[in-house]
Amino acid sequence: MCQPCNGTELISADGTTCVPRRCQKSGGRVVCRKCPSDYISVTQNFDGSPMKEVTCFKCHRGYKAYDNKCVKCEVCSCGRNEMAVSGKCLPKKYVMERPKYSDNKLHPNALLDIVKLEYLCTQSDTRACHALARECVKYLYLTDLAGPCRLWLQKNGTYEYKGLPYLVHESHKEISLRRGKNTLLLAMAIYSPNGALQLLQDETQGIFSCLPPILIKVGERYSVDCTKNITDLNSDFGKLFELFIPGENYKAFPISILKPDGNFVQKGSWPRSKFRKIFLIDKILSTTTNMTTIVYLRKLLIAFRIERGLKESLKLYIHTEAHFAIKSPLVQQITTTLLVDHEMPYASVYRGLEIWGAILSLLFCIYALVQWRSVIRRGGLYISIIPLIASATADGIYFATSFSTLHALAAEAGNLGITLPLSQTEENIIKIVLYSVIILKSLKVVWINWNQCRVDVFFIDWLQHHSSISDLPTTGYRHDWRSILLAKEWMEWQAKRRSSPIATVICTLGILQALDGLSWVAIERTLLERLLDVELTNSEGSNVSTLLYDINDNTPSCLALTWWGEEWTLATFDCMLFGSIFVGTNNLLLAAITTILIYQMLKELRLWFGSRNLKQKTGIKVE
């Protein structure tokens, strides 16, 4: 069995023999000699036989002791005009003439590595140039002339060194989309620390769901949040990313860099105003403590500005912002947000709204004045002009907005072959219009229900004699079964809505507003009155009530005091309510459910106030 060597011996290099060390006793303790730091311990002769005693051997010039072996050491053989910098012999003249770093944001060890990479890059070492570019991006494009970005910040911004990658964005022409195309692929290039490049153009190749490649639909806003553990991102430390659009020419994205302190990178010292390379996550050694800080990409904002081009095409201009943050030491996760926004061109909706709004609002207001004249002649209040004008204005603006939007979208579909979303300004105008018209329309709806729930109600039994119906008490007397059934039928009709244009209703209950006795006359509506739904006929006397009817459908005028006769107002109110909720929440289901719920609430309120009015006027309580 194998036994370990004792404390005064070392095992031989081949592991077969214990070789004694040079030791001596001192004060009752055994002290053995150790080889100096630039020496290695030798236990075997050249022929492989074990030595009698462990011997210390000094490594030759150009080598250093490492793990009890002599390994080649370049800095150990530096000449008189050279000095060792981070394991590399650099000319003293280059180091001494190099600008002194004063920004105090780089750790001394990191600065030594940067000096070495910078010198090697000037000697046409391509891999050193790419590694130096990674350090420049890692420190968020420092503007100190002695920092990692010095070669890019020289006067005139010339890149004379072979292999020095471009860190700033070169100007290029706008991106054009041909007719009928409304999608755009955002691809990505990944640079490893040694300069290797990997192109990702397929959506399934995405290594991180908050980074491209992704397929974007023009005009469709896109937002996604991704949360990852630091341990899952170890392989991404030090990698650089570049965003571009695949095609015949390489067109990189211009990127603005927002530092963790909330300030953008100073652009005055750079030859261009935009950058092109970013990183996802990296570690930075603190200059004051022996700790590392993790900086990561918090948000990537990609904004497209779209303009109409010549020959039925679209022009796209891209603006990208990369927002960086410092990870809290208390959490082990980072969250990155990808946000794609669009600035759409104007579709002339505002101009169309001005024209259509003026015409339709004027026509509807004239119609409202004619209706108001009829209301006054039937004994209505002068204040009724307010809900009538409000409703007419709402109808005019609402339909003007609809016609303007449809016209603009139809024009785009014909010219571009696709239908683009409206611009943000036009969407805001439509939202304001919808919120305004629903408020105006609500005045008419409230006025209708308030007016209908205050009418005088009389139940007349024609089999009995009544000298003066206005003198009958509303309480304190009994009602027969016919009056109760008729009251129930009336209550069922109050909140019904028209379901078909050919539906007819025969109603035996007469409700006359400002009823002045039993004297009434039935007059057929004229063609103009039927078309405009107004009353132009003069009453035959101050004590005579008029019951207008249409000979075509035998619909009595009592339905003017139910929802059946107010289908236009209620239907447009439903449309406006649905549209305002939809544009405010962008949720069709929520808009539909809310519209139905409000309709049911209005129906229950209408029935409750109708029952209350019926009980006050006739004494009949309908359960």
Side-chain angles (χ1 to χ4, degrees):
M1 297 180 61
C2 296
Q3 294 181 355
C5 299
N6 56 37
T8 60
E9 296 176 328
L10 285 180
I11 188 172
S12 61
D14 58 3
T16 60
T17 308
C18 292
V19 181
R21 301 169 62 185
R22 181 177 298 180
C23 302
Q24 63 182 4
K25 290 184 179 181
S26 176
R29 298 178 57 188
V30 178
V31 179
C32 298
R33 185 183 66 168
K34 293 183 178 180
C35 295
S37 59
D38 55 343
Y39 285 72
I40 62 173
S41 301
V42 180
T43 58
Q44 289 182 287
N45 296 311
F46 289 103
D47 58 359
S49 60
M51 288 187 171
K52 295 182 179 179
E53 187 180 67
V54 176
T55 304
C56 292
F57 179 79
K58 185 177 182 180
C59 296
H60 291 286
R61 181 178 178 85
Y63 290 84
K64 65 177 181 179
Y66 179 77
D67 195 18
N68 204 39
K69 295 180 181 178
C70 291
V71 296
K72 190 173 183 180
C73 171
E74 183 177 355
V75 296
C76 298
S77 58
C78 292
R80 292 183 178 180
N81 297 327
E82 295 179 330
M83 61 183 301
V85 177
S86 188
K88 186 71 176 178
C89 293
L90 269 63
K92 291 182 179 180
K93 182 179 179 181
Y94 175 83
V95 178
M96 297 303 295
E97 292 180 352
R98 189 181 183 277
K100 303 302 179 182
Y101 181 74
S102 61
D103 205 3
N104 197 29
K105 294 181 180 179
L106 288 173
H107 193 276
N109 293 336
L111 181 60
L112 291 177
D113 291 335
I114 290 171
V115 173
K116 179 187 69 175
L117 293 174
E118 185 180 294
Y119 173 76
L120 294 177
C121 181
T122 59
Q123 303 302 310
S124 301
D125 189 334
T126 304
R127 298 183 66 177
C129 291
H130 283 274
L132 184 62
R134 188 187 75 84
E135 294 299 317
C136 178
V137 178
K138 171 183 176 180
Y139 287 96
L140 299 176
Y141 299 91
L142 284 177
T143 56
D144 191 289
L145 293 179
C149 307
R150 186 176 77 92
L151 297 183
W152 289 272
L153 292 174
Q154 296 182 47
K155 291 183 179 180
N156 301 325
T158 56
Y159 307 146
E160 301 176 353
Y161 309 111
K162 182 180 179 181
L164 189 65
Y166 286 97
L167 297 184
V168 294
H169 178 262
E170 307 85 11
S171 59
H172 61 75
K173 296 182 180 180
E174 67 276 358
I175 302 168
S176 297
L177 290 179
R178 63 180 182 272
R179 173 182 170 84
K181 183 179 180 182
N182 64 339
T183 57
L184 187 68
L185 178 63
L186 308 183
M188 180 174 62
I190 303 177
Y191 295 87
S192 62
N194 60 2
L197 174 65
Q198 181 183 8
L199 296 177
L200 302 181
Q201 302 185 29
D202 189 355
E203 294 180 77
T204 59
Q205 292 181 316
I207 61 171
F208 199 58
S209 57
C210 283
L211 291 177
I214 55 175
L215 188 65
I216 297 299
K217 185 177 180 181
V218 175
E220 183 177 299
R221 294 177 177 86
Y222 179 80
S223 177
V224 60
D225 294 332
C226 299
T227 301
K228 290 286 186 179
N229 289 324
I230 294 297
T231 55
D232 298 334
L233 298 173
N234 287 333
S235 60
D236 294 316
F237 279 90
K239 288 184 178 179
L240 299 185
F241 299 88
E242 193 167 5
L243 309 178
F244 66 96
I245 298 178
E248 297 180 358
N249 299 322
Y250 180 83
K251 298 179 180 180
F253 282 22
I255 302 176
S256 299
I257 306 297
L258 183 67
K259 298 182 290 186
D261 59 4
N263 298 318
F264 282 95
V265 174
Q266 182 179 351
K267 302 172 184 177
S269 302
W270 289 88
R272 301 286 182 183
S273 60
K274 303 291 182 181
F275 307 96
R276 59 188 296 168
K277 286 182 172 60
I278 58 174
F279 65 91
L280 173 60
I281 183 171
D282 215 329
K283 295 179 180 179
I284 297 177
L285 187 62
S286 174
T287 58
T288 56
T289 61
N290 193 23
M291 296 178 61
T292 56
T293 300
I294 295 179
V295 180
Y296 69 98
L297 180 62
R298 177 61 188 88
K299 180 188 293 186
L300 181 62
L301 173 62
I302 303 176
F304 292 94
R305 181 169 58 89
I306 303 171
E307 295 182 359
R308 293 181 178 86
L310 301 177
K311 299 180 180 180
E312 301 177 348
S313 63
L314 292 176
K315 295 181 180 179
L316 277 71
Y317 301 88
I318 303 175
H319 173 72
T320 310
E321 291 184 4
H323 299 183
F324 287 90
I326 298 177
K327 186 191 77 68
S328 171
L330 303 178
V331 297
Q332 294 299 319
Q333 294 179 332
I334 63 172
T335 300
T336 300
T337 300
L338 173 62
L339 180 63
V340 180
D341 202 358
H342 302 264
E343 181 182 342
M344 306 303 299
Y346 287 99
S348 302
V349 172
Y350 182 71
R351 182 60 178 169
L353 180 60
E354 289 180 335
I355 299 174
W356 280 104
I359 297 174
L360 294 180
S361 297
L362 179 61
L363 294 177
F364 276 106
C365 286
I366 293 175
Y367 174 56
L369 292 176
V370 177
Q371 285 183 312
W372 179 66
R373 176 181 177 274
S374 300
V375 171
I376 296 301
R377 298 185 64 176
R378 293 196 299 268
L381 301 175
Y382 284 95
I383 200 176
S384 60
I385 192 175
I386 296 178
L388 291 175
I389 291 295
S391 177
T393 305
D395 291 341
I397 299 177
Y398 178 75
F399 286 102
T401 306
S402 301
F403 294 157
S404 302
T405 305
L406 289 176
H407 180 270
L409 295 180
E412 284 188 348
N415 295 331
L416 302 176
I418 58 175
T419 302
L420 295 177
L422 300 177
S423 64
Q424 188 65 41
T425 303
E426 291 171 328
E427 288 184 358
N428 293 335
I429 292 175
I430 293 177
K431 288 181 180 180
I432 295 174
V433 167
L434 286 176
Y435 297 152
S436 301
V437 296
I438 191 62
I439 295 175
L440 294 175
K441 200 69 176 182
S442 299
L443 295 177
K444 177 71 177 298
V445 174
V446 172
W447 178 76
I448 288 174
N449 287 276
W450 176 79
N451 193 40
Q452 291 180 359
C453 291
R454 292 177 62 254
V455 299
D456 295 330
V457 181
F458 295 88
F459 290 97
I460 304 173
D461 189 352
W462 296 102
L463 298 179
Q464 300 179 9
H465 172 70
H466 298 281
S467 58
S468 178
I469 197 69
S470 60
D471 296 333
L472 291 178
T474 59
T475 59
Y477 60 89
R478 298 177 59 186
H479 296 278
D480 58 9
W481 59 273
R482 287 172 295 186
S483 299
I484 297 176
L485 289 180
L486 192 59
K488 289 183 177 181
E489 186 176 356
W490 166 247
M491 292 302 301
E492 291 178 358
W493 272 107
Q494 280 189 303
K496 279 191 176 181
R497 300 276 293 268
R498 183 172 297 175
S499 59
S500 174
I502 61 173
T504 58
V505 178
I506 299 176
C507 185
T508 59
L509 180 63
I511 300 180
L512 303 176
Q513 190 174 2
L515 188 65
D516 52 357
L518 295 177
S519 299
W520 55 274
V521 62
I523 300 178
E524 179 186 352
R525 283 190 175 189
T526 64
L527 177 61
L528 184 60
E529 288 176 328
R530 290 198 300 270
L531 291 176
L532 299 180
D533 192 22
V534 297
E535 298 178 8
L536 304 176
T537 307
N538 293 326
S539 62
E540 297 183 359
S542 59
N543 60 344
V544 177
S545 298
T546 303
L547 176 64
L548 295 179
Y549 66 93
D550 296 332
I551 192 173
N552 295 330
D553 54 12
N554 290 327
T555 303
S557 62
C558 66
L559 291 185
L561 297 176
T562 65
W563 279 4
W564 190 270
E566 300 291 344
E567 191 62 33
W568 173 265
T569 299
L570 297 174
T572 52
F573 174 78
D574 292 340
C575 295
M576 296 175 185
L577 179 63
F578 179 87
S580 61
I581 298 175
F582 174 66
V583 299
T585 62
N586 198 25
N587 192 321
L588 283 173
L589 182 60
L590 179 60
I593 293 176
T594 305
T595 304
I596 294 174
L597 290 177
I598 292 181
Y599 161 69
Q600 292 293 334
M601 292 171 58
L602 289 177
K603 181 178 179 180
E604 294 299 325
L605 288 174
R606 178 70 177 85
L607 292 175
W608 186 85
F609 281 109
S611 300
R612 180 175 175 270
N613 182 64
L614 183 65
K615 181 180 178 181
Q616 290 177 348
K617 301 298 175 60
T618 66
I620 300 177
K621 183 178 180 181
V622 179
E623 299 294 340

